[in-house]
């Protein structure tokens, strides 16, 4: 094998662009799916309501009292997710449950980048992109988007 042609060899910026392009397409598909769910009023669980109330409380720097779970119910006793505190400022700018759905779709799509880039380094550009595409369209990611925010 010629030096630099083995599967693990770096091949310039193309794999980096491939991974980001795949993530952008994945994000667009998953955001579209989330918006369509929102427009159809499709709600597979209570979680979107719970976390929308949580984001609203954090947006106003208040404790996470979530009435949907019961009068005076403090979500810290049930779900303590420090990462969800960052939802507050975003929710304050765009106060809607759809904000949470779009954010989740974008974050899931971003997870495509590191997996695809590593796969391209290990397997080569084509196979790495194929593996990244398989991950991007996997049942797990589709299921997470379909189940809505949690």
């Amino acid at each position: 094998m010629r030096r630099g042609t083995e599967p693990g060899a770096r091949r310039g910026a193309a794999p980096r662009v491939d991974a980001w392009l795949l993530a952008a397409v994945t994000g667009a598909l998953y955001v579209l799916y989330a918006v369509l769910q929102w427009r159809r009023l499709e709600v597979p669980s209570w979680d979107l309501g719970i976390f929308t109330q949580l984001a609203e409380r954090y947006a106003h720097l208040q404790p996470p009292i979530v009435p949907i779970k019961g009068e005076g119910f403090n979500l810290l006793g049930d779900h303590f997710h420090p990462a969800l505190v960052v939802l507050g400022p975003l929710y304050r700018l765009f106060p809607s449950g759809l904000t949470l759905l779009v954010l989740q779709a974008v974050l899931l799509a971003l997870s495509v980048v590191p997996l695809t880039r590593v796969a391209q380094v290990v397997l080569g550009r084509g196979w790495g992109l194929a593996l990244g595409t398989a991950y991007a369209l996997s049942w797990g990611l589709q299921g997470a988007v379909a189940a809505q925010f949690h």
Side-chain angles (χ1 to χ4, degrees):
M1 202 178 268
R2 207 176 73 216
R3 181 177 167 88
T5 61
E6 55 275 346
R10 294 192 59 97
R11 294 189 176 98
R16 198 170 281 158
V17 172
D18 290 348
W20 283 101
L21 184 59
L22 179 58
V25 170
T26 303
L29 287 172
Y30 288 154
V31 166
L32 176 63
Y33 186 86
V35 169
L36 291 174
Q37 270 189 319
W38 181 261
R39 286 188 175 173
R40 288 190 310 259
L41 301 175
E42 188 176 315
V43 184
S45 75
W46 290 67
D47 289 342
L48 182 59
I50 292 167
F51 288 107
T52 298
Q53 287 183 345
L54 170 82
E56 182 177 8
R57 299 293 290 189
Y58 282 155
H60 295 93
L61 303 174
Q62 298 172 340
I65 305 301
V66 180
I68 199 170
K69 291 201 52 113
E71 188 64 35
F73 189 92
N74 189 327
L75 202 58
L76 290 178
D78 185 38
H79 282 77
F80 177 62
H81 303 295
L84 293 179
V85 173
V86 300
L87 295 176
L90 188 61
Y91 186 87
R92 186 132 188 182
L93 291 172
F94 307 101
S96 168
L98 181 58
T99 301
L100 304 183
L101 296 178
V102 169
L103 176 63
Q104 176 178 267
V106 168
L107 291 174
L108 289 171
L110 284 175
S111 74
V112 169
V113 173
L115 184 131
T116 303
R117 289 192 59 205
V118 168
Q120 288 179 319
V121 167
V122 173
L123 303 172
R125 182 177 179 192
W127 284 109
L129 187 57
L131 185 67
T133 302
Y135 169 73
L137 300 175
S138 68
W139 175 84
L141 290 188
Q142 290 180 30
V145 174
Q148 297 185 338
F149 193 86
H150 189 113

